[in-house]
Amino acid sequence: HHFFMMENNRKPRPEDNNNRKFKFNWTWIYLIIAAILIGYYFLGGRNNVNVNTISDKELKTFVLNKDVSKAVFVQKEEKVLIYIKKESIDAKSEFAQFREKNLDGPHFSIEQSDYKVFKDDVKDWIARETRMRARDSVRLLESQDTALRAVTNQSDIINDLADQLVKDYEFPITEDTSK
């Protein structure tokens, strides 16, 4: 009987230790999970905050409206992150959602697996737009100034003007090749 009592008295102690260790471990696990979530939110999550996937057509509109400040091709995600100019966010209602939240971007993304194709597409959109605008400008000048009609190197004038216009539309396109 006495032996049983001793056994009984001794028994809770290891359990207490186990309980204490168990709670201690859970605290650490919760802290680690919280740290990972917070880290993800501030670091990794930044790419995913409020980034809507848009179509090439929508992007083309932004490019030709001179709204894009830069684009970053992210190889591992096969997408391009699109950043909108602060002036456009301030001035245009379609970007109003970014005024309070996510001013710095990225603001949109498009699905794209090939960096060169993306760069060429953008270059092509801009080239077509600027050529058309240059041609229209030269035609307008022609209609007002008959002397200009006699100029033979009209295409040179159009090309020079288009080259000048391109600078307004262009924005840096960079590549993130991290694995």
Side-chain angles (χ1 to χ4, degrees):
H1 194 78
H2 186 260
F3 176 75
F4 182 71
M5 287 291 286
M6 260 177 68
E7 188 70 7
N8 216 5
N9 283 349
R10 211 180 291 139
K11 218 174 188 175
R13 269 190 213 114
E15 265 177 29
D16 280 352
N17 271 343
N18 280 348
N19 274 347
R20 218 173 286 132
K21 263 189 198 143
F22 191 67
K23 278 180 187 150
F24 183 71
N25 283 350
W26 274 113
T27 307
W28 277 110
I29 288 166
Y30 285 133
L31 285 173
I32 289 165
I33 289 170
I36 289 167
L37 290 175
I38 289 167
Y40 178 77
Y41 180 77
F42 284 113
L43 305 171
R46 211 170 25 207
N47 294 345
N48 307 322
V49 173
N50 223 7
V51 177
N52 297 331
T53 302
I54 55 171
S55 66
D56 283 13
K57 194 173 169 226
E58 286 173 289
L59 176 61
K60 183 178 179 178
T61 305
F62 296 157
V63 170
L64 299 184
N65 288 338
K66 304 177 193 174
D67 292 324
V68 179
S69 67
K70 69 174 180 174
V72 180
F73 175 73
V74 185
Q75 179 70 63
K76 71 178 172 199
E77 294 178 33
E78 294 200 345
K79 65 180 177 187
V80 182
L81 299 174
I82 308 299
Y83 295 77
I84 300 297
K85 291 176 181 169
K86 290 205 170 35
E87 310 86 87
S88 296
I89 291 172
D90 289 340
K92 298 185 178 183
S93 59
E94 66 259 43
F95 305 126
Q97 71 209 51
F98 303 125
R99 287 175 199 157
E100 299 299 313
K101 206 171 135 198
N102 194 21
L103 185 64
D104 296 328
H107 301 104
F108 299 102
S109 70
I110 65 161
E111 304 292 323
Q112 177 58 266
S113 55
D114 190 318
Y115 179 60
K116 189 182 182 312
V117 166
F118 175 72
K119 278 190 89 154
D120 290 348
D121 280 353
V122 170
K123 208 175 185 163
D124 186 52
W125 297 339
I126 293 172
R128 285 168 191 255
E129 178 75 5
T130 52
R131 267 198 78 71
M132 188 185 73
R133 285 178 180 264
R135 209 177 311 117
D136 291 349
S137 298
V138 170
R139 285 209 187 108
L140 183 67
L141 287 170
E142 256 185 346
S143 68
Q144 293 165 350
D145 182 354
T146 46
L148 189 67
R149 275 183 218 157
V151 176
T152 50
N153 64 342
Q154 243 187 40
S155 64
D156 290 349
I157 294 172
I158 290 172
N159 290 338
D160 288 349
L161 188 54
D163 290 346
Q164 288 305 305
L165 289 170
V166 163
K167 292 179 181 71
D168 285 346
Y169 290 87
E170 282 181 330
F171 53 89
I173 299 174
T174 55
E175 192 174 8
D176 173 358
T177 52
S178 61
K179 292 286 173 257

